[in-house]
């Protein structure tokens, strides 16, 4: 996975509040979430919302200026994305939004940017307050993706993913898939309270995986709006395999087997390892979001 060394990164699409906190609301957490370690444990073992790090708590202290400008100061060029993890996330977000800004209007809609918020420890959102234990998530209330970079180490060490830069890109692309679903009005279908292998919750998650694959197919040919050249210049078969491996690692069956010692499909919320790989690869193979209809 390689970015154009000379490309300018747009840090306005990412807010860096690591080592600080931002104001939060009092809404219920919504939208699909990947890698919810604490939530998984909560569903299985009765952990309460406060212990999960999700609450309706009030505002958090505003991030300090030093933490909020970290990415702004360090992530200028594509070369920085090739050298630093946080700058890589900036570049992935830029590439994703370059693609969806061009593709979504072709489907008859108006794409609205979604900011990614990098945080650690705890963050306040329009969907409530969350700790790092929640993992990456998208909040439809403020149209933001929330990400603690420490999750990527958990993805490798706790979930057994092979890791790699594109495994990280897959996670971010999945969350932006939820943003596209939110714009389309399909994300709310996951909020009917049902779980299970055939539930809308699972179908929404698998569709987000498929949308991640669609972006991956087009990422190396989508021109950056400033340079006219693709921001992502190389994506290898090995990179795609890292993405598939990450998708499998966060399958409900894999997580259930690891944390509770048995598989209970009736409580699935994200889909099996095989399903997640299947739908990511469907998006990548076809490059067509119309092929991502998981609701059929």
């Amino acid at each position: 996975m390689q970015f154009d060394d000379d490309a300018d990164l747009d840090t306005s699409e990412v807010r860096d509040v690591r080592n600080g906190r931002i104001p939060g609301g009092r809404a219920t957490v919504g939208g699909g979430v990947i890698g919810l370690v604490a939530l998984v444990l909560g569903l299985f073992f009765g952990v309460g919302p406060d212990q999960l790090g999700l609450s309706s708590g009030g505002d958090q202290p505003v991030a300090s200026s030093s933490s909020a400008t970290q990415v702004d100061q360090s992530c200028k060029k594509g070369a920085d994305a090739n050298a630093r993890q946080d700058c890589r996330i900036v570049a992935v977000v830029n590439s994703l939004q370059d693609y969806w800004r061009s593709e979504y209007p072709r489907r008859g809609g108006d794409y609205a940017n979604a900011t990614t918020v990098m945080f650690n420890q705890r963050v306040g959102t329009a969907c409530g307050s969350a700790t790092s234990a929640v993992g990456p998530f998208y909040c439809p209330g403020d149209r933001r993706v929330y990400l603690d970079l420490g999750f990527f180490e958990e993805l490798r060490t706790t979930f057994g993913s092979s890791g790699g830069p594109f495994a990280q890109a897959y996670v971010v692309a999945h969350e932006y898939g939820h943003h596209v679903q939110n714009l389309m009005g399909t994300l709310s279908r996951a909020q009917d309270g049902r779980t299970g292998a055939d539930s809308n919750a699972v179908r929404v998650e698998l569709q987000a995986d498929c949308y991640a694959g669609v972006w991956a197919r087009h990422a190396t040919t989508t021109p950056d709006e400033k340079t006219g050249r693709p921001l992502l210049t190389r994506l290898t078969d090995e990179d795609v395999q890292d993405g598939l491996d990450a998708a499998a690692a966060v399958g409900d069956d894999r997580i259930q087997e690891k944390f509770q010692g048995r598989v209970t499909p009736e409580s699935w919320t994200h889909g099996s390892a095989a399903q997640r790989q299947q739908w990511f690869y469907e998006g990548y193979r076809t490059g067509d979001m119309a092929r991502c209809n998981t609701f059929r």
Side-chain angles (χ1 to χ4, degrees):
M1 183 177 182
Q2 184 79 20
F3 295 96
D4 178 0
D5 280 342
D6 297 324
D8 292 322
L9 300 185
D10 183 0
T11 57
S12 71
E13 295 184 344
V14 175
R15 186 177 181 192
D16 188 353
V17 298
R18 289 173 291 176
N19 304 316
R21 296 176 182 176
I22 63 175
R26 294 178 177 270
T28 301
V29 171
V33 181
I34 182 176
L36 292 180
V37 183
L39 185 54
V40 167
L41 295 176
L43 290 172
F44 295 157
F45 304 120
V47 180
D50 292 340
Q51 293 166 287
L52 294 177
L54 302 176
S55 72
S56 60
D59 291 352
Q60 306 292 336
V62 178
S64 66
S65 59
S66 60
S67 67
T69 59
Q70 186 172 341
V71 162
D72 290 342
Q73 294 171 347
S74 302
C75 304
K76 303 293 188 182
K77 293 286 187 178
D80 300 320
N82 290 323
R84 289 176 53 122
Q85 182 187 63
D86 52 359
C87 300
R88 183 186 309 126
I89 299 306
V90 174
V92 169
V93 170
N94 290 171
S95 177
L96 279 160
Q97 301 212 105
D98 281 341
Y99 174 69
W100 288 116
R101 275 193 296 266
S102 65
E103 177 63 18
Y104 194 68
R106 293 181 60 243
R107 307 289 174 170
D110 295 321
Y111 182 78
N113 280 1
T115 300
T116 288
V117 179
M118 294 183 188
F119 76 99
N120 56 19
Q121 297 182 353
R122 181 179 294 274
V123 67
T125 82
C127 296
S129 178
T131 70
S132 297
V134 174
F137 64 97
Y138 171 74
C139 173
D142 55 26
R143 293 184 175 180
R144 290 181 172 183
V145 172
Y146 291 88
L147 176 64
D148 185 333
L149 300 186
F151 171 76
F152 296 131
E153 182 64 14
E154 291 290 323
L155 185 62
R156 187 181 65 83
T157 59
T158 301
F159 291 96
S161 168
S162 60
F166 190 73
Q168 301 169 15
Y170 154 74
V171 171
V172 180
H174 174 97
E175 299 306 335
Y176 273 84
H178 286 316
H179 177 56
V180 172
Q181 291 172 319
N182 191 35
L183 296 177
M184 295 176 68
T186 56
L187 184 60
S188 61
R189 297 177 72 168
Q191 299 174 337
D192 60 7
R194 294 179 57 245
T195 62
D198 295 324
S199 67
N200 282 340
V202 167
R203 295 177 189 275
V204 162
E205 295 298 333
L206 296 178
Q207 187 176 66
D209 283 334
C210 189
Y211 287 166
V214 170
W215 161 75
R217 166 56 63 188
H218 296 286
T220 57
T221 58
T222 299
D224 179 73
E225 294 175 347
K226 293 180 180 178
T227 67
R229 303 188 307 272
L231 179 57
L232 185 62
T233 59
R234 187 177 73 230
L235 190 66
T236 66
D237 290 343
E238 290 76 14
D239 291 323
V240 174
Q241 186 56 50
D242 282 342
L244 287 166
D245 189 69
V250 289
D252 282 323
D253 53 342
R254 292 270 189 96
I255 294 173
Q256 288 179 337
E257 182 68 36
K258 183 177 182 64
F259 288 103
Q260 70 175 17
R262 66 188 188 281
V263 176
T264 53
E266 65 273 12
S267 64
W268 286 4
T269 57
H270 286 66
S272 69
Q275 287 176 311
R276 302 201 69 169
Q277 286 188 317
Q278 172 195 339
W279 282 102
F280 172 80
Y281 192 72
E282 178 70 9
Y284 180 73
R285 181 183 67 82
T286 66
D288 183 0
M289 65 183 296
R291 299 292 291 271
C292 296
N293 184 4
T294 57
F295 294 93
R296 289 181 297 185

